[in-house]
Amino acid sequence: MTRILVPTDFSEGAHKALQLARELMPDAQIKLLHVFDPQVRSLPYQASLGVQANHEAIERHFQHEVLSQFEEAQRANIESEVVMGHPVDAIVKAAQEYGAHFIFMGTHARKGLNLLFLGSVAQGVMQRTPVPVMVVPSKN
């Protein structure tokens, strides 16, 4: 059975990546992965968790509230996991551990100085994994 890892930051691009994975490979096993980077507090729910957020609280929040945004995942019984760490490292490791055949991930399509200063998780993953990566832009 084909296994697809779909990292999510709950952006439009991540939603589109999940949809595309389901459309192109409807029989594949899919795992949603959210990487919580405790050094970055940019996602809406992170501020409410506070500085001392622990993995269990993040996991509960992911499962009960944030994952509800992914109606497709609930209907299709898609596996999900939350890990802590640097996104590129965690995604590459999760793909290896899951035995992923493909990674479908969204991108914010940053350019210029934004890309230089912020980096690109998708670009980092593509450079560090032997697994084929399908990058889905958040904008059409």
Side-chain angles (χ1 to χ4, degrees):
M1 163 109 9
T2 301
R3 289 184 295 280
I4 302 172
L5 182 69
V6 181
T8 181
D9 60 359
F10 312 109
S11 66
E12 184 179 345
H15 284 274
K16 288 182 177 182
L18 177 59
Q19 288 175 332
L20 186 60
R22 299 287 296 153
E23 288 172 17
L24 294 179
M25 298 179 192
D27 296 327
Q29 287 182 311
I30 295 179
K31 181 177 197 172
L32 277 176
L33 175 75
H34 177 63
V35 180
F36 178 79
D37 186 345
Q39 298 187 0
V40 177
R41 292 254 187 250
S42 61
L43 293 173
Y45 72 89
Q46 287 175 318
S48 68
L49 292 175
V51 176
Q52 300 299 321
N54 63 44
H55 189 267
E56 287 179 16
I58 295 162
E59 181 79 37
R60 280 192 307 272
H61 189 82
F62 177 74
Q63 294 295 335
H64 296 299
E65 295 181 36
V66 185
L67 190 57
S68 67
Q69 295 178 30
F70 285 92
E71 293 176 23
E72 174 76 12
Q74 292 176 348
R75 286 195 306 269
N77 293 324
I78 293 174
E79 186 179 342
S80 63
E81 180 180 14
V82 175
V83 296
M84 292 181 81
H86 181 269
V88 173
D89 296 338
I91 292 167
V92 169
K93 181 180 177 185
Q96 181 181 14
E97 289 175 354
Y98 182 54
H101 297 102
F102 299 96
I103 300 171
F104 279 62
M105 60 189 304
T107 183
H108 298 285
R110 291 186 180 102
K111 296 179 183 173
L113 290 178
N114 276 339
L115 177 60
L116 179 65
F117 290 119
L118 299 173
S120 168
V121 173
Q123 181 178 356
V125 170
M126 288 187 298
Q127 291 173 343
R128 298 209 20 230
T129 185
V131 177
V133 179
M134 171 70 75
V135 179
V136 182
S138 60
K139 297 179 182 176
N140 290 335

